[in-house]
Amino acid sequence: MRLRYYHTLILLNNFPSKLITMSTQTSFHSPPLKKCFSSQRNRFYTRRPLVTVFCSKPISHNDSLPLKTNGFSRTYTSHVTVPRPVHLENLNEAKVEMQFNLLKTKLMAIGIDTDICVPGQYTHLLCPSCQGGDSVEKSLSLYIENDGGSAVWVCHRGKCGWKGSTQAFAGSRPLSIKMSRPIKKTREITEEELELEPLCNELVAYFAERLISKETLQRNAVMQRKHNDQIVIAFTYHHNGALISCKYRDINKMFWQEVDTKRIFYGLDDIEGQSEIIIVEGEMDKLAMEEAGFRNCVSVPDGAPAAVSPKELPPQDMDTKYQYLWNCNDQLKQASRIILATDGDKPGQALAEELARRLGKERCWRVSWPIKTGDVNCKDANEVLMHLGPQALKEVIENAELYPIRGLFNFRDYFDEIDAYYHQTLGYELGVPTGWNNLNELYNVVPGELTIVTGVPNSGKSEWIDALICNLNQAAGWTFALCSMENKVREHARKLLEKHIKKPFFQARYGENVERMTVEEFQEGKIWLNDNFHLIRCEDDSLPNVKWVLDLAKAAVLRHGVRGLVIDPYNELDHQRPPNQTETEYVSQMLTLIKRFAQHHGCHVWFVAHPRQLYNWVGSPPNLYDISGSAHFINKCDNGIVIHRNRDPDAGPMDQVQVCVRKVRNKVAGTIGEALLLYNRVTGEFMSADNEIADNEMK
């Protein structure tokens, strides 16, 4: 037994046959045009009662609708046909009806009216999201599967673009094999069939107000058509001289096209064999470009999308929205330079991006529309022509810029930054001094760089970094994020306060006879700690990884404006890596993440890494290549420093610390060499050994 679906036909007396409606934003209020339309009483989209007709067979092709025109009447043959009933065999009728009813309930819940919907067909409805805009057009296209089990929809209004899908049952599959959608046969049309006429004087005057001449209109075969007691503009689409399609515009700024015609660019013949072409968003812009001297211009036929699609490009045969590009591929592939002159609004920019994705950004240019009045820019080519003239429009095209490609730049894109660097207005171009005169000749702290610090255990690496950041805070007001996993918070606070206040925290052995910091100094010191340092700590027993640290450091940069990050040490982080990744590859990837963070946020990073176990060590400073894990520690860092403490009384003072600068990538900030510092065990301070020697000599 066959299940027969009866189809619903909506008869709108004012709806032209074989036409698709679209929306636009442009205005249409010219006095001459109003005069041309003065005899009209009915708008194109006059609301009429809906008449539902249940049919078991197609309406006869001989049925006709009268078409009234200005001055004469004729019989107009309707192209409207109702498809034959769809027969679904071997389906459970009750189940089909049940899931179709459930699907309709779901659609009704989100505002989609399903009263006239039929499985296996597309239905044009009023979009519940945008309500069809000012013109209340039925821009929502809804498709329901043959078995009534699922539906997809999309709103074709440029400012909306709402789309989605749903199923009667979650995870349900169609009851029958999905039938392939029939391939529509392309119609062949003629001016006689469409009843096209030359433009009347009022329409010629309307275009003249937009600075588009009669000669340009005639060359582009812009015509008119009479429909329902009104005249509409007809933009004819030709290829090789033959009429391919036709797009109409009425007094209410409504656009529609002939259906079942091949989608091509408007003005396609004008780019035949051209190596440089211009693509605009509307037919009026194409005509405006010609007035500025550019005939090698085409317009897209279907307007702009609401936004750039986040999905990958679909295959050519599935790229329905931009099928006109593939239909015109022979003309497009000859062009080595394509200027995208789409509208300046968000949909226009989205259209430019979608076109560039398909055409290849490497051969695309884009335009910047000039200012119209005050701080308002012109929206499109026709506005430039009307408000600024053809010469201004010509300059816009001549000054088109390369379409940006993600990751590919010119130095010109950075000229402002380079100028600021030259004039030293960025700040800290030469680096921030360390606070030790003899070390400043070798190492200065530059924002956005990575410094690797190493040394054998108990050499004073962490103490030296703490002293350095205290100096930077005092000299430049920098604040810091501290991920110091070997320090308890209270002990780290003691070390920083001692260096800042220059007094011991406790009255204890290490303090010798130096007076302990007072309660008042301690209270002021706590405020200093809180204002200038932010802690990154993992409160549970798990090990943090580098990404976790950098995410929190980013928050500290954005929230507190920190200029430096200390990660101390490397071996306290979680370094789980994929089984197929070597330690060398892992370290390289990790250091790349840290460097990108530093550069992007202008934040200097100090990363402490211990050397591997040194066999037959005789007490000399280790090398950066001795760091445990990988040679990438020295290969990828901007600065490499070894901190080494003297352990031999015969070699010099026991409080003497060597700061060995082993690598400086930026010669502006320093050079390779060594500096001696003296460590004050009481306060944790470091002093330049040269200053100490000079003081002793003066005594």
Side-chain angles (χ1 to χ4, degrees):
M1 176 180 178
R2 295 187 174 184
L3 176 64
R4 176 171 302 228
Y5 282 106
Y6 290 100
H7 298 274
T8 305
L9 174 65
I10 304 301
L11 297 182
L12 294 176
N13 292 343
N14 285 330
F15 212 97
S17 60
K18 288 280 183 177
L19 303 180
I20 301 175
T21 62
M22 296 180 298
S23 66
T24 184
Q25 301 175 11
T26 57
S27 62
F28 202 126
H29 297 291
S30 167
L33 188 60
K34 287 183 179 179
K35 181 180 178 182
C36 181
F37 288 113
S38 60
S39 64
Q40 303 173 127
R41 294 183 180 273
N42 298 322
R43 292 178 54 184
F44 184 78
Y45 281 95
T46 305
R47 295 181 176 275
R48 298 288 183 88
L50 302 183
V51 181
T52 305
V53 181
F54 296 93
C55 307
S56 60
K57 61 181 180 179
I59 293 177
S60 170
H61 287 274
N62 294 324
D63 294 346
S64 62
L65 297 175
L67 174 65
K68 294 183 179 180
T69 62
N70 292 335
F72 62 93
S73 64
R74 65 173 71 127
T75 299
Y76 179 77
T77 303
S78 172
H79 295 283
V80 177
T81 59
V82 180
R84 295 185 180 277
V86 179
H87 300 283
L88 303 177
E89 303 198 13
N90 301 322
L91 295 180
N92 186 311
E93 298 179 23
K95 191 169 185 178
V96 170
E97 184 177 1
M98 177 185 67
Q99 67 179 13
F100 183 37
N101 289 334
L102 180 57
L103 182 69
K104 290 198 294 183
T105 301
K106 288 188 173 183
L107 293 172
M108 291 291 288
I110 58 175
I112 298 180
D113 185 3
T114 61
D115 287 345
I116 63 172
C117 297
V118 177
Q121 291 188 24
Y122 284 93
T123 308
H124 292 282
L125 304 168
L126 189 67
C127 175
S129 177
C130 66
Q131 297 298 318
D134 296 337
S135 57
V136 197
E137 63 171 309
K138 295 183 178 181
S139 55
L140 186 75
S141 177
L142 174 70
Y143 179 78
I144 298 178
E145 290 289 350
N146 290 321
D147 60 10
S150 61
V152 294
W153 62 88
V154 62
C155 178
H156 292 295
R157 285 192 70 241
K159 285 189 175 182
C160 181
W162 179 55
K163 59 184 176 181
S165 63
T166 189
Q167 295 177 324
F169 299 101
S172 63
R173 296 182 178 180
L175 297 176
S176 63
I177 299 176
K178 183 178 177 180
M179 300 170 61
S180 60
R181 297 177 186 175
I183 300 176
K184 294 182 179 180
K185 184 178 180 181
T186 302
R187 290 172 55 212
E188 294 184 359
I189 57 177
T190 63
E191 292 182 7
E192 292 74 18
E193 176 194 353
L194 301 181
E195 301 173 342
L196 301 182
E197 305 168 346
L199 290 174
C200 61
N201 292 333
E202 288 82 1
L203 281 179
V204 173
Y206 163 76
F207 282 104
E209 284 192 346
R210 282 147 181 78
L211 301 188
I212 297 172
S213 65
K214 185 175 182 179
E215 291 73 24
T216 297
L217 296 172
Q218 290 175 343
R219 200 192 73 82
N220 288 273
V222 181
M223 306 183 77
Q224 70 181 41
R225 174 179 175 176
K226 298 174 182 178
H227 176 76
N228 277 12
D229 295 330
Q230 69 167 281
I231 301 174
V232 296
I233 299 171
F235 296 103
T236 56
Y237 283 61
H238 290 83
H239 184 214
N240 293 330
L243 181 61
I244 303 299
S245 185
C246 193
K247 186 173 178 180
Y248 305 98
R249 171 175 172 167
D250 72 355
I251 190 174
N252 300 310
K253 302 172 290 184
M254 292 299 303
F255 281 70
W256 66 93
Q257 288 189 48
E258 292 289 336
V259 297
D260 296 340
T261 55
K262 186 178 180 181
R263 286 288 186 268
I264 60 172
F265 280 116
Y266 178 65
L268 179 59
D269 287 345
D270 287 339
I271 64 169
E272 191 73 50
Q274 296 288 332
S275 61
E276 179 177 312
I277 65 174
I278 304 168
I279 299 179
V280 294
E281 191 172 324
E283 292 81 5
M284 296 289 283
D285 298 321
K286 150 68 175 168
L287 302 176
M289 283 292 181
E290 188 161 323
E291 295 296 339
F294 300 103
R295 287 191 178 182
N296 55 329
C297 177
V298 291
S299 169
V300 300
D302 295 331
V308 178
S309 172
K311 300 179 181 179
E312 294 292 329
L313 289 180
Q316 177 177 335
D317 58 340
M318 299 293 290
D319 198 11
T320 54
K321 171 68 176 174
Y322 301 94
Q323 198 61 46
Y324 58 86
L325 287 176
W326 308 113
N327 292 339
C328 303
N329 190 50
D330 289 341
Q331 291 75 26
L332 292 172
K333 66 183 181 183
Q334 300 175 32
S336 57
R337 187 169 187 257
I338 301 174
I339 299 175
L340 303 178
T342 55
D343 290 3
D345 55 13
K346 185 177 178 181
Q349 297 306 305
L351 174 61
E353 178 66 17
E354 292 290 2
L355 293 175
R357 291 172 70 193
R358 290 161 172 82
L359 297 171
K361 294 181 180 180
E362 67 280 357
R363 59 174 179 154
C364 288
W365 272 250
R366 66 176 179 180
V367 302
S368 297
W369 299 117
I371 294 175
K372 179 172 62 174
T373 54
D375 58 351
V376 179
N377 286 56
C378 291
K379 174 176 172 287
D380 53 31
N382 192 225
E383 277 200 2
V384 176
L385 179 68
M386 292 173 61
H387 293 274
L388 304 177
Q391 182 60 34
L393 182 54
K394 183 177 180 181
E395 291 175 359
V396 167
I397 299 302
E398 291 175 345
N399 295 327
E401 300 176 344
L402 288 166
Y403 198 89
I405 299 176
R406 184 177 178 85
L408 182 63
F409 304 94
N410 293 323
F411 270 105
R412 182 172 146 190
D413 299 324
Y414 295 90
F415 276 175
D416 290 343
E417 181 181 342
I418 296 171
D419 289 344
Y421 187 48
Y422 174 80
H423 295 291
Q424 297 187 35
T425 57
L426 287 173
Y428 315 118
E429 290 83 1
L430 305 181
V432 182
T434 63
W436 301 293
N437 293 335
N438 58 338
L439 184 57
N440 290 339
E441 299 297 322
L442 308 175
Y443 174 68
N444 289 270
V445 180
V446 178
E449 291 188 351
L450 168 64
T451 296
I452 298 293
V453 180
T454 191
V456 297
N458 202 30
S459 292
K461 300 182 291 296
S462 300
E463 287 279 0
W464 177 78
I465 291 177
D466 284 348
L468 174 62
I469 61 179
C470 285
N471 290 349
L472 295 175
N473 172 258
Q474 182 179 5
W478 280 23
T479 57
F480 304 88
L482 306 177
C483 181
S484 185
M485 290 160 285
E486 287 186 334
N487 276 314
K488 296 178 181 177
V489 173
R490 61 177 183 267
E491 292 179 357
H492 203 176
R494 172 182 61 78
K495 295 176 183 178
L496 291 170
L497 287 174
E498 287 178 340
K499 292 173 175 59
H500 176 64
I501 300 174
K502 298 177 174 44
K503 290 183 179 180
F505 193 83
F506 294 116
Q507 196 73 43
R509 273 194 314 276
Y510 78 90
E512 300 176 354
N513 297 323
V514 179
E515 181 184 357
R516 179 189 187 187
M517 65 182 68
T518 65
V519 173
E520 290 78 13
E521 290 171 333
F522 172 60
Q523 294 299 335
E524 291 177 1
K526 287 196 299 181
I527 296 174
W528 172 79
L529 282 176
N530 191 66
D531 291 344
N532 295 286
F533 301 96
H534 305 275
L535 303 177
I536 296 176
R537 301 187 68 84
C538 193
E539 296 299 329
D540 52 32
D541 57 357
S542 61
L543 288 177
N545 56 35
V546 168
K547 186 179 183 306
W548 180 84
V549 173
L550 295 181
D551 286 344
L552 291 176
K554 176 182 177 181
V557 170
L558 299 178
R559 179 173 291 187
H560 304 296
V562 302
R563 301 301 301 270
L565 167 66
V566 177
I567 305 176
D568 180 15
Y570 163 75
N571 64 313
E572 288 290 333
L573 295 173
D574 180 12
H575 299 296
Q576 294 184 25
R577 63 179 190 272
N580 59 343
Q581 188 179 47
T582 66
E583 185 175 16
T584 298
E585 293 170 338
Y586 168 77
V587 171
S588 175
Q589 188 179 71
M590 175 191 67
L591 293 176
T592 297
L593 285 176
I594 296 174
K595 287 192 66 175
R596 285 180 179 172
F597 165 82
Q599 293 170 0
H600 183 72
H601 296 287
C603 180
H604 196 102
V605 179
W606 291 270
F607 194 18
V608 179
H610 295 313
R612 63 177 182 270
Q613 185 175 355
L614 302 176
Y615 297 98
N616 303 318
W617 181 56
V618 295
S620 59
N623 197 291
L624 288 175
Y625 284 109
D626 293 325
I627 297 177
S628 176
S630 171
H632 280 302
F633 281 104
I634 186 172
N635 296 337
K636 291 214 165 189
C637 68
D638 297 297
N639 309 285
I641 293 178
V642 178
I643 302 297
H644 187 65
R645 182 172 64 84
N646 180 40
R647 289 171 171 78
D648 184 2
D650 297 332
M654 294 294 289
D655 59 356
Q656 182 174 285
V657 176
Q658 277 181 279
V659 180
C660 308
V661 181
R662 300 300 191 205
K663 179 182 179 181
V664 177
R665 191 189 303 275
N666 182 2
K667 70 178 182 180
V668 171
T671 187
I672 294 173
E674 296 182 6
L676 294 178
L677 301 178
L678 296 178
Y679 175 65
N680 185 336
R681 190 168 181 272
V682 175
T683 62
E685 296 175 88
F686 288 80
M687 295 175 293
S688 172
D690 295 342
N691 293 344
E692 186 71 16
I693 293 172
D695 291 343
N696 292 335
E697 289 178 351
M698 290 180 63
K699 293 177 181 178

